[in-house]
């Protein structure tokens, strides 16, 4: 049965648009376009973003979360995407005000999209050897490359993993073309999604290899970084900002994507500040769900006043101690993972979390509108 709801008079509503209003079980977004009030469903078909908070581009409103667009007249997407539709509500302007009718005159239409392969299960075959992923975060001029101390120690660790019979992958972030994090979490907690919205929208974005390696493939991960002005490299931070979508699943859904995986670090630089860099790295990777072996990082620095980088490089190249330390770091990580793997059933039991991330956040309000697959 159709019901008309008075929203207010024209002058009042003109000052408020765009806005959202709850009418019975529907969340309705109201816009003023081409001199007329328009009303469509407020919930984006993609991830539930609030369309009333989006920007109008002509007749199309852009979802503030991930930029999906819908006509405020027809509820459909732009040409080529017009099979999708949000509900459309009839609007009447009467002498005593503006009215919206429920239920909608046009229902929501959802197209079943192929889910991202990042959402699929990636079962490791029984009896398969451990899998080791090493990640270099060192920027480099490919035309005129230099010697990287952190890369050199990563290579030593990788050699040891191969000697131990592990399957290995080596990702150099400098070889990947990937976009900066767009800060969707700053829009709303639920706007930071898994998989990352950039990965979903942009097939050219190459951070997928990192997501696959960390979440689905690796048992042991070694991350190497140089020190740059007392911090990890800029490429390291570019990567971990995009990994917020992994950590955020813990925050908003209590979904831990990374379990029973071991991480360790290699940190080198001409300046000191190793403990601070390591502490920052421990905090982030622990928040993702990684665990750490005893003595979980190795490092090299000649200190603040040692600006003669030629000697720093020479020392690392010639150091048997650092090479052996790289081997031993890999051994500790693999041995620790072996212990974890042997007790996997016990560790897979639910674990209560405490502190600021102890409770999942409620889902955005979603209307109970008709859905057509």
């Amino acid at each position: 049965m159709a019901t008309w709801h008075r929203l207010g008079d024209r002058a009042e509503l003109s000052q408020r648009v765009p806005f959202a209003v709850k009418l019975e079980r529907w969340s309705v977004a109201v816009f003023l376009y081409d001199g007329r009030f328009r009303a469509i469903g407020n919930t984006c078909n993609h991830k539930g973003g609030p369309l009333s908070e989006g920007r109008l581009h002509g007749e199309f409103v852009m979802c503030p979360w991930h930029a999906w667009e819908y006509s405020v007249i027809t509820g459909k997407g732009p040409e080529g995407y017009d099979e999708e539709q949000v509900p459309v509500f009839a609007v009447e302007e009467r002498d005593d005000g503006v009215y919206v009718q429920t239920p909608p005159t046009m229902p929501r239409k959802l197209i079943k999209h192929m889910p991202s392969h990042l959402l699929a299960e990636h079962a490791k075959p029984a009896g398969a050897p451990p899998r080791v992923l090493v990640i270099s975060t060192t920027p480099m001029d490919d035309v005129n490359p230099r010697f990287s101390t952190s890369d050199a120690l990563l290579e030593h660790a990788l050699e040891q993993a191969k000697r131990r019979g592990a399957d290995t992958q080596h990702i150099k972030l400098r070889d990947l073309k990937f976009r900066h994090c767009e800060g969707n979490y700053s829009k709303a907690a639920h706007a930071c999604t898994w998989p990352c919205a950039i990965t979903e929208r942009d097939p050219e974005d190459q951070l997928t290899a990192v997501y696959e390696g960390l979440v689905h493939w690796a048992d042991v991960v070694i991350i190497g970084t140089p020190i740059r002005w007392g911090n990890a490299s800029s490429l390291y931070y570019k990567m971990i900002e995009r990994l917020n979508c992994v950590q955020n699943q813990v925050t908003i859904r209590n979904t831990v994507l990374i379990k029973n995986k071991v991480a360790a670090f290699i940190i080198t630089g001409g300046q000191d500040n190793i403990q601070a860099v390591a502490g920052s790295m421990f905090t982030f990777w622990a928040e993702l769900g990684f665990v750490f072996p005893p003595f979980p990082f190795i490092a090299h620095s000649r200190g603040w006043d040692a600006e003669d980088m030629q000697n720093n490089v020479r020392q690392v190249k010639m150091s048997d101690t650092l090479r052996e330390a790289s081997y031993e770091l890999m051994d500790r990580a693999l041995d620790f993972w072996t212990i974890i793997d042997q007790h996997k059933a016990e560790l897979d039991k639910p674990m209560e979390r405490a502190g600021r991330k102890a409770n999942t956040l409620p889902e955005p309000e979603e209307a109970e509108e008709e859905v057509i697959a």
Side-chain angles (χ1 to χ4, degrees):
M1 178 178 176
T3 304
W4 288 94
H5 307 264
R6 184 180 183 277
L7 301 185
D9 59 46
R10 181 181 179 87
E12 172 200 349
L13 299 183
S14 297
Q15 298 298 314
R16 291 176 56 198
V17 287
F19 64 88
V21 61
K22 187 71 177 292
L23 302 176
E24 297 175 345
R25 59 193 176 95
W26 289 276
S27 180
V28 180
V30 181
F31 300 88
L32 184 61
Y33 171 69
D34 200 22
R36 293 181 57 186
F37 287 101
R38 308 284 184 173
I40 61 174
N42 187 46
T43 305
C44 178
N45 282 358
H46 179 222
K47 297 292 183 181
L51 297 181
S52 60
E53 297 177 19
R55 294 183 177 91
L56 274 177
H57 299 274
E59 72 177 81
F60 292 93
V61 59
M62 179 180 288
C63 178
W65 286 9
H66 306 118
W68 284 40
E69 293 184 300
Y70 305 92
S71 167
V72 298
I73 301 173
T74 67
K76 295 182 178 181
E79 185 177 356
Y81 301 90
D82 49 2
E83 290 180 315
E84 291 263 6
Q85 184 178 39
V86 293
V88 179
F89 298 84
V91 180
E92 284 187 5
E93 288 197 50
R94 304 175 184 173
D95 292 341
D96 65 336
V98 178
Y99 286 76
V100 170
Q101 183 190 64
T102 59
T105 55
M106 295 295 294
R108 186 183 301 275
K109 292 182 181 178
L110 291 169
I111 303 301
K112 290 184 178 179
H113 299 278
M114 181 71 70
S116 169
H117 71 282
L118 289 172
L119 292 171
E121 292 292 327
H122 293 64
K124 182 180 176 183
R131 296 170 170 179
V132 173
L133 171 65
V134 301
I135 300 177
S136 163
T137 69
T138 301
M140 188 74 72
D141 176 1
D142 291 332
V143 176
N144 187 24
R146 58 181 173 79
F147 180 84
S148 165
T149 54
S150 59
D151 275 9
L153 299 184
L154 269 181
E155 291 282 358
H156 293 324
L158 193 62
E159 291 167 11
Q160 183 67 0
K162 292 175 180 177
R163 281 192 289 269
R164 293 274 303 256
D167 286 341
T168 61
Q169 284 190 41
H170 188 180
I171 293 179
K172 299 177 181 178
L173 288 185
R174 59 181 175 269
D175 293 339
L176 305 182
K177 291 182 171 62
F178 62 98
R179 287 162 52 183
H180 287 276
C181 176
E182 296 172 346
N184 287 328
Y185 186 83
S186 298
K187 300 174 183 177
H190 287 274
C192 181
T193 60
W194 171 256
C196 174
I198 295 174
T199 302
E200 284 192 312
R201 293 200 312 267
D202 185 358
E204 303 297 319
D205 187 84
Q206 295 179 340
L207 200 67
T208 304
V210 174
Y211 290 140
E212 290 174 338
L214 294 178
V215 174
H216 294 300
W217 189 80
D219 300 311
V220 172
V221 180
I222 310 287
I223 302 100
T225 182
I227 294 177
R228 294 286 182 264
W229 283 102
N231 290 289
S233 77
S234 58
L235 265 182
Y236 170 80
Y237 283 106
K238 185 180 179 184
M239 172 184 68
I240 69 168
E241 286 175 0
R242 287 283 302 276
L243 292 177
N244 191 55
C245 65
V246 176
Q247 190 279 325
N248 193 43
Q249 294 306 296
V250 183
T251 306
I252 66 174
R253 301 186 190 284
N254 201 20
T255 298
V256 181
L257 297 175
I258 291 172
K259 295 180 179 179
N260 305 325
K261 295 174 182 281
V262 174
F265 311 117
I266 293 174
I267 305 165
T268 67
Q271 302 173 11
D272 206 356
N273 210 39
I274 287 165
Q275 290 90 342
V277 173
S280 174
M281 295 175 78
F282 286 139
T283 298
F284 179 78
W285 294 89
E287 284 285 290
L288 293 186
F290 283 93
V291 294
F292 310 102
F295 310 107
F297 74 95
I298 62 169
H300 169 74
S301 171
R302 296 180 63 238
W304 173 257
D305 60 352
E307 291 292 341
D308 52 343
M309 283 303 298
Q310 298 90 332
N311 288 332
N312 188 52
V313 166
R314 188 179 301 115
Q315 190 175 64
V316 172
K317 284 182 176 179
M318 296 175 61
S319 175
D320 292 336
T321 300
L322 287 172
R323 182 171 57 255
E324 289 296 328
S326 301
Y327 299 160
E328 291 166 3
L329 179 69
M330 181 59 72
D331 285 338
R332 289 195 298 274
L334 282 169
D335 290 346
F336 191 60
W337 174 80
T338 300
I339 294 170
I340 289 172
D341 192 53
Q342 291 170 349
H343 296 270
K344 190 171 181 294
E346 300 158 68
L347 292 170
D348 279 341
K349 293 178 181 178
M351 182 179 295
E352 292 297 326
R353 294 180 296 117
R356 65 186 178 89
K357 297 178 189 234
N359 300 307
T360 56
L361 298 177
E363 295 283 349
E365 184 177 273
E366 295 186 12
E368 300 175 14
E369 296 139 348
E370 181 181 355
V371 174
I372 298 180

